[in-house]
Amino acid sequence: MSDLHEDTAALLAEAKTPTRRPTVAALEEKLFRPVHVLDHGFVRVIDYMGDDAAIVQAARVSYGKGTKSQRNDRGLIRYLMRHRHTTPMEMCEIKLHVKLPIFVARQWIRHRTANVNEYSARYSILDREFYIPEPGQLAEQSNSNRQGREQPLSSEQAQAVRDILRRDAMTCYDTYTNMINDDGTGEKIDPNAPQVARELARINLGAGYYTQWYWKTDLHNLFHFLSLRAHSHAQYEIQVYAEAIAEMTKLWVPMAFEAFEDYRMGAAHFSTDEVKILRAALDGVSLREFLKGSDLSAREVNEFRKKLGKI
Amino acid sequence: MSDLHEDTAALLAEAKTPTRRPTVAALEEKLFRPVHVLDHGFVRVIDYMGDDAAIVQAARVSYGKGTKSQRNDRGLIRYLMRHRHTTPMEMCEIKLHVKLPIFVARQWIRHRTANVNEYSARYSILDREFYIPEPGQLAEQSNSNRQGREQPLSSEQAQAVRDILRRDAMTCYDTYTNMINDDGTGEKIDPNAPQVARELARINLGAGYYTQWYWKTDLHNLFHFLSLRAHSHAQYEIQVYAEAIAEMTKLWVPMAFEAFEDYRMGAAHFSTDEVKILRAALDGVSLREFLKGSDLSAREVNEFRKKLGKI
Amino acid sequence: MSDLHEDTAALLAEAKTPTRRPTVAALEEKLFRPVHVLDHGFVRVIDYMGDDAAIVQAARVSYGKGTKSQRNDRGLIRYLMRHRHTTPMEMCEIKLHVKLPIFVARQWIRHRTANVNEYSARYSILDREFYIPEPGQLAEQSNSNRQGREQPLSSEQAQAVRDILRRDAMTCYDTYTNMINDDGTGEKIDPNAPQVARELARINLGAGYYTQWYWKTDLHNLFHFLSLRAHSHAQYEIQVYAEAIAEMTKLWVPMAFEAFEDYRMGAAHFSTDEVKILRAALDGVSLREFLKGSDLSAREVNEFRKKLGKI
Amino acid sequence: MSDLHEDTAALLAEAKTPTRRPTVAALEEKLFRPVHVLDHGFVRVIDYMGDDAAIVQAARVSYGKGTKSQRNDRGLIRYLMRHRHTTPMEMCEIKLHVKLPIFVARQWIRHRTANVNEYSARYSILDREFYIPEPGQLAEQSNSNRQGREQPLSSEQAQAVRDILRRDAMTCYDTYTNMINDDGTGEKIDPNAPQVARELARINLGAGYYTQWYWKTDLHNLFHFLSLRAHSHAQYEIQVYAEAIAEMTKLWVPMAFEAFEDYRMGAAHFSTDEVKILRAALDGVSLREFLKGSDLSAREVNEFRKKLGKI
């Protein structure tokens, strides 16, 4: 499993072909070039279809002359995003090549509306590459957030954890190599030992080992992915991938991305009761008084304050 | 609803942009150019992603060095198709602009794994365009095939049917125009009459009226669509669209299309019992004798004979 | 196409079988009984899987002991809904039998994550049943909302529109009957005339004709359907179906439905800029002053005021 | 992560409720009862919707009177299966609770058209349970099939592999326990050590560790799953799950399952060229002679012979 696919050299060549398809110069510059993520991972754009104008074009097919009132593309895209008219966003597609730890892949794959070709450890041999968190990322279990981390470890503690993670990963890989008894050429290392089937040997490798895949999705589903995985509640190790992809998306469809940030990433959602409270507050009722008398649970009151930056 | 979207002129221009993406010269020639289907319909390719090499590239990510034994791209693509390893086919994507009668759209939309933006008759005004079958297509209900047609009408009968279809469609459109009371400019035709909401007025138009949409899907799902809709059991009016798209697909991914024809379109499927019969027949048992003694229903025997060209 | 499937009588029988599966007594009472919608339509529940407890059970599999802190089922369900943890909602499933006009079916089918078996007019004969809007529903095209209706017609105008819709529908159906030349028994009405294939004859019938289908979906996707189709911006004729289904959903999963109403249906979504304005307003800045100086378009200011009930 | 969910006792109780829904007595007997798979895994049915009659009922909605000619349910179901009319199969749904090794889960999750709630190792603590293959399952890498296993190891070799797999798994779990520093009560084991976040600590555990999930799918997609995973080319460890589910499916929808076996599992697929050869062979041309002169690759000739049992 080489980091970059063997014909990458060819792909990276400056050779360009003329096309009549919509082309995004800013993204063309980045095509095939890996953006490094975590200690051994990367993301790179392999192909894309469509641009901001393709979203507008699809919306205009739907609405016909009904879109004439939207004087410009930016306004129309913002309108679509605001009102969750998502089908025109589906008219853009992107294909990525990602190298990522298995535990990240396990979260990522839950996004079902995507096409995936993953490296198969039944067919081929996994490399000795595994994720060791940076010391600053090694943190204690959060008490308030059951699925999060909180207080970073001391640098000694962090170093100890890193050492033991590396030790276990190396031990397991040595076992793997011994079991498959293959130096990658198909030749036996130990001529007297068996070559255990790869599909069995790989079960000894941990969730920190790297895999890779081609992942292709449309812009609507990409935004959904980003809204969940670039979110502060996502696990750090998938967040960094989401952020790298967000940067690429910004180059690809700058208007749609701006609308996504304004209406999705930075937006807040208020429940029926919360809207009532907001209305009363704007009419001069003290927020503090109102919350006291409300049906909101303590947890909801906290979430409400957080959304308004009143913590 | 103009046949071709207003910025088509621009699209049709010879202007080309350089790209590093995979480009298929044969398909570039056809981009944006409508292929006429039925009396007022068309299909045209708006955009595409990937080519035969992109299928191979994705398969090689999955199988790693495991694909080295497949010496060439064509062999690998045929292997994938034969063994229904379909995910690499999903790495290619195509976007079409289609103008089609509503009853065809209703069959087509049942293919769920696609992205669609359809012209909205809630927003905009439908044109006076409806499908009248060619005389040669007007046929009697089939007796053997509950969902098919058989014996063509005589030319007098066909002409009579065409006349009455046209008459009804025109009457309904006149009513539509009167109800919306709009000449397409938003101005009233009759200043004293109301302008009934478009979303209501359109219910008076029949399933033969034309709609249009952008339709985007991946190659695996496109092949599935073609296998069902270019099939002789599909309704003629959707078959002709499927055939037009098949021609485009052949230009786009010639190797994959050839494999699709060999292993899907032209292939035959034999049940457990049928395989037993085949085996015996190859061992010299008379097919006729064998079928007599088998559990197959008369219907299945017919289907079996048909698959072997022994009708 | 009889309204109720032929074995409905059996289904409606009081016969009950014991089951170990989760059972919802309130919904059992309604099983198979059609709720009438529009002039000839209906919705009825054919089957269901799961209940509120099934959502909780699935969530507890995911979170393990991590859900112990959520002391009760209602609190956990509300937490899931609030934070859009939607997968446990997918563990409930419902199957409906719906009779609906074709133009409503065309909007409905755009919800792709569902299973559908629709009555086929290629196989079978459509009944002489079409939708004629109630006078109070016949309204003029809205100017502010390109896809809506506004001012109702006068009762004379409405009656005139109803008459002409009925006239056109009857004429088209007469043509249909003449073309298929079949009284429903397979026997010819006119022994000397042809029987045009059903798949062709049906193209003469309008979008107001009724079709029917079985439609099956999970609770998460049902909520998505309801959020779009029970919404005031949806076309009235699909809204009434969504409302009928909402009532059934409330009986089926009362806790989840309550949470859905509080956090989805009654909720408001504020953009990055709108949240800034809210924060300032709560700090005492005059909303009016703030809006003057903001980047929001006139349209967005209107939408903002509407969300806060300040119109 | 207890094997069986805490309220299983209640579920297993004999308590039954009356329902009007279709009920399958043979499956009711098996509800909630785990079928053991591999060394620590299981599958159990949690809920189901529909039965053979529900498939027929949905088909009859589609075809209307057009299905009258199919005199009985079994014949209709076989017809649907033979002609790949799959939508009526989607009207049945099943929900399973599965405990399975992570590497099996990684293959399984690739079936995207299903609903899943998996145990989260971000929230909760994984048990010290991992898969160790039975000696008879430990085999060498296949040479002919890049993704398979072949010649079993000798019993000494197998024992050595099992010992080292167990040793590595135990070592990694000890590290895991030390990192999370929690005996499962939330209390620290070592009061002076940190409690590393679970989402980090779990990356040290291998793909052989057990996870569990609720998995819900419709019958059409279940058949697709079984056709790929109960197939002899699937990895043994997922095959045994597929076989256990096949047994349950047979109890649930016996007619559909029989048709699935006859037309899918036991069926053979012949390409355009292979059909030509079959036709010629049935006309008396020697198969051997014909194959010599054909365009089939050596690999295809082998596959062809295999399908006909002529190896």
Side-chain angles (χ1 to χ4, degrees), chain C residues 293-304:
Chain C
S294 85
D295 279 344
L296 300 186
S297 66
R299 188 169 209 160
E300 284 182 274
V301 168
N302 273 340
E303 291 175 7
F304 181 68

Side-chain angles (χ1 to χ4, degrees), chain A residues 5-22:
Chain A
H5 190 268
E6 50 194 45
D7 51 8
T8 297
L11 294 172
L12 274 169
E14 292 306 305
K16 296 186 180 179
T17 327
T19 184
R20 283 200 181 101
R21 292 172 293 166

Side-chain angles (χ1 to χ4, degrees), chain C residues 18-29:
Chain C
T19 184
R20 282 198 182 104
R21 292 172 293 167
T23 298
V24 180
L27 193 61
E28 289 279 337
E29 289 311 303

